[in-house]
Amino acid sequence: MDSTTVTPQLTRLQPDCTAEEVVALLHRDGAVIIERYADPATIERVRTEMRPWIEACGPGREAFVGFKTARAGAVMARSPASHQLALDPMLNQACGSFLAPHADGYQLHLTQLTSIGPGEGEQRLHRDREVWGGRVPRTVETQFSTIWALTDFTADNGATRVVPGSHRWAEGRKPKAHEITAARMEATSVLVYSGSVIHGGGRNDTDRHRDGLLLHNTLDWLRQEENQYLSCPPHIAQHFSPELRALLGYRSSFGMGFVSHPFPPGEAAELVSPEALFRHPTSHWPGLVLSL
């Protein structure tokens, strides 16, 4: 077979892989699979905690999100088990290294459980960086993204389609059929990919749902796709670890993101980091909604 018609495959790493290995493969291929990386009990807890919201979702209203696909966000607020995945030390080390050339830090950009239903068609192939309308230069990498397999991902049930190496392509180049591969992986595995690699949800020809958890990070100076301060307002975020609050964006970075407390004059400092909010009893936050 001519080498130009061989479908490229995603590299698969073992659970004991290093952040350096992940970053190297992101630079080379734009995506990598880490097999059986998560604790099965954690994955099952995420599914259980998110099930009420997925079951309450109506069908999608346009082709890109899927007419037979359910999507539920605010995952950090709804699924305590997901915190372990969002704060995974190795992946956060890899994220920090991968995005370091373009920012002083990173933040949680999107949290979503995606359940591709039977009969769903293929999602349009795209780059996640398109959410900013092409206004961020291609020399700036925008995202470090993960899709955690909550169920097995197969070629028949909607496994994410990926075009390895496409993060280096010219803007207008379209993939040929043989350049697209399916990210087949067992439940508990995770697909890690950049915001510049071409990908899209697969077609589900089975009678069962394909469930994946999207946890995407972006540069700390870009607007998040999911508004984390509304998904996880202070009365919810106060119960999170400082590390998770920082990942959500409750921190300042080189003067960006400061707050002025809604206290009476003289009772609190001005222009402070959001982290200071959580040093005060919630009853002293008159300007914030503390219960829903």
Side-chain angles (χ1 to χ4, degrees), residues 66-85:
F67 293 113
K68 298 180 180 180
T69 295
R71 297 174 182 269
V75 176
M76 295 300 107
R78 294 167 168 173
S79 172
S82 70
H83 301 183
Q84 182 176 335
L85 306 180

Side-chain angles (χ1 to χ4, degrees), residues 3 13 61 68 98 106-107 119 134 170 175 187 200 215 219 221 238 260 270 278 287:
S3 61
L13 296 176
R61 288 173 287 184
K68 298 180 180 180
F98 185 65
Y106 58 90
Q107 58 188 336
L215 299 179
L219 309 174
W221 51 267
Q238 69 177 316
S260 294
E270 293 291 323
F278 303 99

Side-chain angles (χ1 to χ4, degrees), residues 85-96:
L85 306 180
L87 293 173
D88 180 79
M90 189 280 290
L91 288 176
N92 275 271
Q93 181 184 348
C95 177

Side-chain angles (χ1 to χ4, degrees), residues 64 123-127 130 161-163 175 180 198-200:
F64 185 77
Q123 185 184 44
R124 174 179 63 83
L125 292 172
H126 62 283
R127 293 181 168 96
E130 293 171 9
R161 296 171 298 143
V162 183
V163 184
I180 306 169
I198 295 174
H199 69 287

Side-chain angles (χ1 to χ4, degrees), residues 37 55 62 68 85 134 137 142 211 247 253:
Y37 187 63
E55 291 178 348
E62 55 101 2
K68 298 180 180 180
L85 306 180
T142 56
D211 293 347
L247 187 61
S253 176

Side-chain angles (χ1 to χ4, degrees), residues 28 54 70 80 84 98 141 144 149 188 216 222 248 257 278:
R28 191 189 76 180
I54 282 292
Q84 182 176 335
F98 185 65
E141 181 50 69
F144 178 100
T188 72
H216 298 178
L222 280 173
L248 288 166
F278 303 99

Side-chain angles (χ1 to χ4, degrees), residues 190-257:
V190 59
L191 170 68
V192 186
Y193 64 102
S194 79
S196 300
V197 76
I198 295 174
H199 69 287
R203 178 183 181 87
N204 188 348
D205 292 321
T206 72
D207 60 359
R208 305 188 70 178
H209 286 72
R210 188 233 74 180
D211 293 347
L213 177 66
L214 282 59
L215 299 179
H216 298 178
N217 293 328
T218 190
L219 309 174
D220 60 3
W221 51 267
L222 280 173
R223 180 170 173 82
Q224 294 146 299
E225 185 172 356
E226 179 185 24
N227 191 320
Q228 299 297 335
Y229 315 110
L230 295 180
S231 292
C232 301
H235 75 277
I236 291 176
Q238 69 177 316
H239 302 294
F240 296 168
S241 69
E243 293 79 14
L244 182 58
R245 289 199 297 262
L247 187 61
L248 288 166
Y250 283 102
R251 67 182 184 89
S252 58
S253 176
F254 284 84
M256 296 175 62

Side-chain angles (χ1 to χ4, degrees), residues 50 53-54 57 70-75 78 111-114 213 226:
M50 290 299 297
W53 284 275
I54 282 292
C57 283
R71 297 174 182 269
V75 176
R78 294 167 168 173
T111 69
Q112 187 178 96
L113 196 154
T114 301
L213 177 66
E226 179 185 24

